[in-house]
Amino acid sequence: MRYGHFDDERREYVITRPDTPLPWINYLGSEDYIALLSNTGGGYSFVRDARLRRLIRYRYNNAPLDVGGRFLYLRDDTSGDYWNPGWQPTQRDLDEYACRHGLGYTVIGGTRGGIRTETTYLVPPGQTIEAWRVSVTNERQEAAHISLFGAVEFCLWDAQDDATNFQRNLSIGEVLVEDDVIYHLTEYRERRDHFAWFACSVPVSGFDTSREAFLGPYRGWERPLAVDHGTMSGSIAHGWQPVGALQAELRLGPGQSREVVFVLGYTENPPDAKFDPPASGHPDTARARAVLESYRQDGRVERDLASLREAWEERLGVFQVATGDLHVDRMVNTWNPYQCMVTFNLSRSASMFESGIGRGMGFRDSNQDLLGFVHLVPQRARERILDIAATQLPDGGAYHQYQPLTKRGNDDIGGGFNDDPLWLVLAVAAYAKETGDLAILDVPVPWDNAEGSESPLRDHLRRCISFTLDRLGPHGLPLIGRADWNDCLNLNVFSERPGDSFQTAPNRPGGVAESVFIAALFVLAAREAAALARLRDDEAEAVRCEDAAASMTAAIEAHAWDGAWYRRAYDYFGRPVGSTENDEGQIFIEPQGLMAMAGVGLEDDRARTALASVRAHLATAHGIMLHQPAFTSYHLELGEISSYPPGYKENGGVFCHTNPWIMIGEAITGDAEGALDYYLRINPSAREAISEVHRCEPYVYAQMIAGRDAASHGEAKNSWLTGTAAWNMVAIGQWILGIRPEHHGLRVEPVIPAGWAGFSATRRFRGTAYEIEVRRRGDGHPGAVAGTARPGAVQLVVDGRPIEGTVIPLPEPGTSLVRVEVWLP
Ligand code: BGC
Ligand code: NOJ
């Protein structure tokens, strides 16, 4: 069952009924001001940091889940009828409803009793505001007297404190109302030099700033007294819950429309010029008023919308495809890169499942997010790499997270996740391949942000590799530390007390638990590090990395093969995890794809055997599960993984992040059908038709789909902020469609199913546009053309001339266009 449809032409998802199974959200803003907006107007906003600079108060895990955040009410002043054009929170029936989530903007339209409302929400580029442009049309035969109310409930900045520290917070709220603008001034009198404000583009007929006055005692947002009665009380909040609520009266003749723009803004003043007049205690509102003024001009929102669209067209123009497969095209061309931008911006901080007060920027997460984003805005990827590397510890290890506001490593969680540093190598390699900018390796970067400790980025990479080599266990495999990619495989924790963190509780001393996953990741990273070193003529480092990769491969071959797949780990006691020797958790997904990606098991065919085992034991119609059998009881020696009920999250859920590794493995071993088949199983668009099962948004990936052991098999959770976005972009773009940046040029080596006649693509790469046409000579089966062994065997014709191999040599500088014909068997 569907709750809407894609509008591919406009790059929008159109939700046609408001009661989606979960709030289906969008993100507005990709710079300082970020807004989460649901299909019924819910969600909240913040500036730079979802915890410390929260503008709108929001209650997670509420009933209903999404009560609102941005409130718009319409009232028919003749009949007294009132409703929300986005349905929530009054839930009064709408004759028509549609929510269009687009790239950086959302339009929600709702009609009731002949009054049509359409609201465009956006965060304008370069501004720290959100604008809601509301257009109200009277479709009746007679004149209508309508009141339009806009409201927000202010968060007292620190979202964590706001939700807990009531003894203070119920006394500190302060507002100022001047010239129809409501200023939220809490703590401005003391250490803050920023405030929020709420206003609209037309003269208002009333306002409230006290929640209790606006809603009325014992009433909620579904029945506000001021709306019910049609009059505001002009309340001024002193403590309690400050809100911004405004009423505009609209007198509309038949067929007439009016436009009102509401603006929720954030303004910072220089610390020594906060007050006007100086020391008066009265805030300097000049900056805020100037911004507001520009939103009182006609056409301002239209212009912002146009520049947003233009920016996205430009960005998405880097890579566009026409494959004939609807689900591939719409995810690759629009929604997957869009989600990659959001994960790049927000890491795992704020979504409907991440409250914005927990995790900062993940070291591992941010490096991986970059893999799917680097081609969109390489300059920002470069800055990110340098920020991440600056948090690295002198021993090569990493803080598991850092704070976006301070860019400092987070001491609360610390380090010791032994896979973390290796992801930095992959991120730098991806950046260098995309841009050719090897100079980044020479940029001085501090250790643990300590001034004066700088050494070139290449030294950071060197220590990433050494970090693993300095921590090998009894089988010569990497020690796991607190955990590896699977945060919940806590082999050294032995957590017995409820509430103890699995991640940060002290590890039992003397642990020798080893990770086969890190071994595979190491081989992959060491090969990338060797290539980078060689490009910088550092032969000694290149050889060191290659030798290390070779010895790690030997350790894997000797100790990690279980007979039909790779083992997952060795536990604290040296016993295998992910082996037929175990009762549960016999086979894990993570190493199986990664080995092929690292080039391990290709010659002895173990990679292919492992992938066949994945298909036999882990694949479901809803994606590939993390492991089987799921753990049915808690295992002290395994940790959080066995704490989840079977089928959920890391205990045998379909953890979508890992599925692309299998797709890539299938592509590398030449199984085109298998790779695309897995791709489509978790592709959100391909799951749109089962939205009542999947439940999350059909336009973005979710972190997890409940596995076969779960009662709700097929149900997705934790949409938006997941490494799944980046890795699927890599799997489909670079390995299945096969358009892959390399150090010496763009490789084109598609591994597409026999049933596909070909596809076309455009790719901007290092300043040149590549127009790529992929066609078949034969019927797509191996051997269809003499001399080709596998379906991937490819012949390239570049600007009319056949070339050797599949890497297009870099053209003369300044070349704007290269035409590539790609012939498949
Ligand atoms: C979650 C993981 C997450 C980890 C770190 C666990 O409880 O299941 O998915 O990575 O916490 O915050
Ligand atoms: C989510 C975390 O953000 C990510 O870093 C981790 O790899 C996965 N969970 C798996 O545990």
Side-chain angles (χ1 to χ4, degrees):
M1 170 182 169
R2 293 179 164 83
Y3 292 78
H5 57 266
F6 287 88
D7 182 338
D8 293 314
E9 196 64 22
R10 300 173 59 88
R11 304 192 193 274
E12 291 175 341
Y13 191 82
V14 188
I15 300 165
T16 48
R17 49 185 288 184
D19 57 340
T20 47
L22 295 167
W24 284 3
I25 72 163
N26 194 10
Y27 286 84
L28 316 180
S30 51
E31 298 156 315
D32 285 351
Y33 191 110
I34 305 278
L36 282 73
L37 174 65
S38 77
N39 57 307
T40 61
Y44 60 91
S45 315
F46 55 91
V47 174
R48 288 197 289 276
D49 188 308
R51 171 173 165 189
L52 299 174
R53 294 282 161 87
R54 184 83 63 99
L55 270 74
I56 298 180
R57 181 175 281 159
Y58 190 79
R59 288 174 193 77
Y60 275 93
N61 222 349
N62 215 335
L65 273 177
D66 182 35
V67 172
R70 300 171 183 84
F71 301 96
L72 282 174
Y73 300 87
L74 287 164
R75 180 176 192 274
D76 183 330
D77 288 334
T78 313
S79 66
D81 182 32
Y82 65 90
W83 66 96
N84 302 107
W87 189 60
Q88 276 278 77
T90 61
Q91 297 188 4
R92 300 243 166 120
D93 288 341
L94 297 169
D95 306 323
E96 271 173 27
Y97 161 90
C99 166
R100 294 179 161 264
H101 283 317
L103 306 186
Y105 68 91
T106 287
V107 182
I108 302 180
T111 304
R112 179 173 162 104
I115 304 297
R116 167 190 294 278
T117 311
E118 192 178 88
T119 310
T120 304
Y121 298 87
L122 61 86
V123 172
Q127 303 277 354
T128 54
I129 66 155
E130 62 182 79
W132 323 341
R133 184 191 56 192
V134 190
S135 121
V136 185
T137 305
N138 176 14
E139 293 182 334
R140 298 175 184 166
Q141 303 298 330
E142 66 280 0
H145 288 194
I146 301 294
S147 279
L148 168 65
F149 298 83
V152 292
E153 181 172 350
F154 294 112
C155 180
L156 308 189
W157 303 114
D158 180 335
Q160 162 104 339
D161 192 72
D162 181 74
T164 48
N165 190 6
F166 303 112
Q167 60 81 25
R168 169 178 164 87
N169 292 336
L170 297 183
S171 293
I172 63 171
E174 284 189 301
V175 297
L176 169 74
V177 183
E178 247 174 32
D179 302 330
D180 286 354
V181 183
I182 297 174
Y183 297 94
H184 174 226
L185 294 181
T186 302
E187 291 187 344
Y188 192 75
R189 60 166 50 252
E190 27 119 349
R191 293 151 299 170
R192 292 190 188 273
D193 46 25
H194 46 261
F195 55 79
W197 45 275
F198 187 61
C200 74
S201 58
V202 301
V204 303
S205 59
F207 69 85
D208 267 308
T209 68
S210 141
R211 188 180 76 184
E212 195 180 4
F214 179 67
L215 298 181
Y218 291 92
R219 287 179 177 235
W221 290 97
E222 73 292 349
R223 218 165 49 98
L225 191 69
V227 178
D228 200 355
H229 291 179
T231 50
M232 314 282 271
S233 63
S235 60
I236 297 293
H238 300 281
W240 299 108
Q241 302 85 7
V243 300
L246 298 169
Q247 176 181 13
E249 284 176 33
L250 311 176
R251 299 288 173 258
L252 298 169
Q256 207 190 339
S257 293
R258 281 286 297 282
E259 220 175 82
V260 180
V261 181
F262 287 92
V263 181
L264 172 62
Y266 167 91
T267 298
E268 274 174 19
N269 279 330
D272 51 357
K274 286 173 46 165
F275 301 113
D276 176 33
S280 63
H282 179 279
D284 184 342
T285 58
R287 284 183 177 76
R289 280 183 287 121
V291 176
L292 175 61
E293 223 21 72
S294 72
Y295 284 85
R296 289 187 162 150
Q297 321 285 311
D298 279 352
R300 174 67 212 240
V301 171
E302 206 46 53
R303 288 198 298 281
D304 287 339
L305 203 55
S307 61
L308 248 183
R309 277 189 201 280
E310 206 180 301
W312 269 109
E313 285 308 317
E314 166 74 16
R315 219 171 269 154
L316 296 179
V318 175
F319 185 40
Q320 290 287 292
V321 300
T323 67
D325 185 307
L326 193 60
H327 305 304
V328 173
D329 287 0
R330 68 165 59 121
M331 289 311 291
V332 170
N333 292 338
T334 302
W335 294 98
N336 198 350
Y338 184 57
Q339 187 179 3
C340 285
M341 174 75 146
V342 173
T343 58
F344 178 85
N345 287 334
L346 292 177
S347 193
R348 305 295 171 264
S349 65
S351 71
M352 283 291 134
F353 303 87
E354 301 278 9
S355 64
I357 58 181
R359 309 201 259 161
M361 309 286 289
F363 190 98
R364 173 202 297 140
D365 294 327
S366 294
N367 280 309
Q368 287 174 86
D369 292 343
L370 195 139
L371 304 177
F373 172 83
V374 59
H375 62 293
L376 297 176
V377 195
Q379 188 52 33
R380 285 194 63 197
R382 184 178 201 272
E383 289 161 19
R384 178 62 54 78
I385 285 173
L386 299 175
D387 283 349
I388 298 174
T391 70
Q392 194 180 9
L393 296 160
D395 69 356
Y399 285 103
H400 197 46
Q401 289 159 12
Y402 71 96
Q403 291 311 118
L405 209 58
T406 61
K407 298 190 175 171
R408 301 259 157 179
N410 181 341
D411 282 317
D412 293 346
I413 178 143
F417 294 76
N418 285 356
D419 64 313
D420 273 339
L422 295 171
W423 299 108
L424 177 63
V425 181
L426 299 198
V428 174
Y431 170 79
K433 289 177 183 173
E434 181 66 37
T435 60
D437 169 21
L438 295 173
I440 194 176
L441 296 169
D442 300 329
V443 175
V445 181
W447 300 93
D448 194 5
N449 283 114
E451 224 174 291
S453 69
E454 291 78 7
S455 51
L457 181 64
R458 59 189 134 77
D459 285 354
H460 285 255
L461 300 191
R462 189 171 291 152
R463 287 195 216 174
C464 290
I465 298 298
S466 301
F467 182 83
T468 302
L469 295 176
D470 293 345
R471 288 164 184 76
L472 297 178
H475 299 95
L477 298 167
L479 294 176
I480 194 168
R482 296 194 176 284
D484 58 23
W485 172 86
N486 192 327
D487 280 323
C488 301
L489 191 60
N490 316 119
L491 301 180
N492 296 311
V493 168
F494 297 85
S495 176
E496 277 181 291
R497 283 184 312 182
D500 273 356
S501 161
F502 291 102
Q503 267 85 38
T504 56
N507 286 356
R508 184 179 284 189
V512 290
E514 297 166 287
S515 164
V516 173
F517 171 83
I518 301 182
L521 181 64
F522 178 83
V523 176
L524 182 60
R527 297 223 160 112
E528 296 288 8
L532 286 169
R534 188 152 290 130
L535 287 166
R536 300 297 290 158
D537 295 324
D538 187 347
E539 188 57 24
E541 176 62 4
V543 169
R544 178 182 83 113
C545 291
E546 279 163 355
D547 287 351
S551 350
M552 190 65 78
T553 304
I556 292 170
E557 280 166 359
H559 301 294
W561 185 246
D562 198 63
W565 55 79
Y566 291 98
R567 292 178 171 175
R568 179 63 177 81
Y570 285 94
D571 71 11
Y572 182 90
F573 308 101
R575 299 175 310 210
V577 178
S579 157
T580 47
E581 288 177 30
N582 303 111
D583 294 334
E584 296 176 336
Q586 294 182 334
I587 171 171
F588 281 69
I589 191 174
E590 297 98 312
Q592 319 310 338
L594 224 67
M595 288 296 180
M597 287 165 65
V600 180
L602 297 182
E603 272 151 35
D604 56 13
D605 228 28
R606 281 180 174 177
R608 215 185 284 262
T609 307
L611 291 168
S613 298
V614 167
R615 189 167 290 275
H617 300 288
L618 300 178
T620 78
H622 298 291
I624 316 167
M625 297 175 288
L626 262 187
H627 59 260
Q628 279 291 297
F631 299 103
T632 52
S633 58
Y634 179 55
H635 292 252
L636 249 188
E637 78 288 4
L638 299 178
E640 184 168 3
I641 193 170
S642 60
S643 75
Y644 285 111
Y648 293 100
K649 292 279 284 180
E650 277 90 340
N651 189 8
V654 173
F655 219 92
C656 298
H657 184 141
T658 60
N659 282 215
W661 298 339
I662 301 298
M663 299 167 204
I664 298 171
E666 295 278 359
I668 289 174
T669 55
D671 187 345
E673 264 68 22
L676 190 76
D677 168 36
Y678 285 138
Y679 173 78
L680 290 173
R681 290 188 200 201
I682 61 165
N683 176 304
S685 160
R687 296 175 62 77
E688 183 196 17
I690 53 160
S691 287
E692 78 287 4
V693 177
H694 184 78
R695 301 188 80 222
C696 280
E697 295 93 332
Y699 40 92
V700 291
Y701 287 96
Q703 179 203 62
M704 198 263 308
I705 298 174
R708 198 166 52 206
D709 304 276
S712 56
H713 183 34
E715 179 190 43
K717 281 201 189 101
N718 301 11
S719 56
W720 281 99
L721 301 185
T722 161
T724 311
W727 275 109
N728 271 285
M729 196 68 222
V730 171
I732 184 73
Q734 300 190 14
W735 293 95
I736 298 177
L737 302 178
I739 302 175
R740 192 155 70 242
E742 299 210 346
H743 291 301
H744 297 294
L746 190 63
R747 187 185 289 280
V748 186
E749 199 179 286
V751 185
I752 54 172
W756 279 26
F759 66 90
S760 39
T762 55
R763 177 69 157 86
R764 281 206 309 270
F765 177 63
R766 301 195 200 174
T768 303
Y770 291 77
E771 276 181 13
I772 302 166
E773 286 295 329
V774 179
R775 296 284 169 261
R776 286 201 182 280
R777 287 209 161 101
D779 64 3
H781 289 291
V785 174
T788 61
R790 60 190 197 103
V794 183
Q795 155 92 94
L796 261 53
V797 180
V798 178
D799 283 333
R801 276 190 302 275
I803 63 161
E804 279 292 312
T806 53
V807 180
I808 306 161
L810 291 171
E812 289 298 310
T815 308
S816 54
L817 179 68
V818 169
R819 284 181 211 282
V820 188
E821 289 163 51
V822 182
W823 290 99
L824 302 183

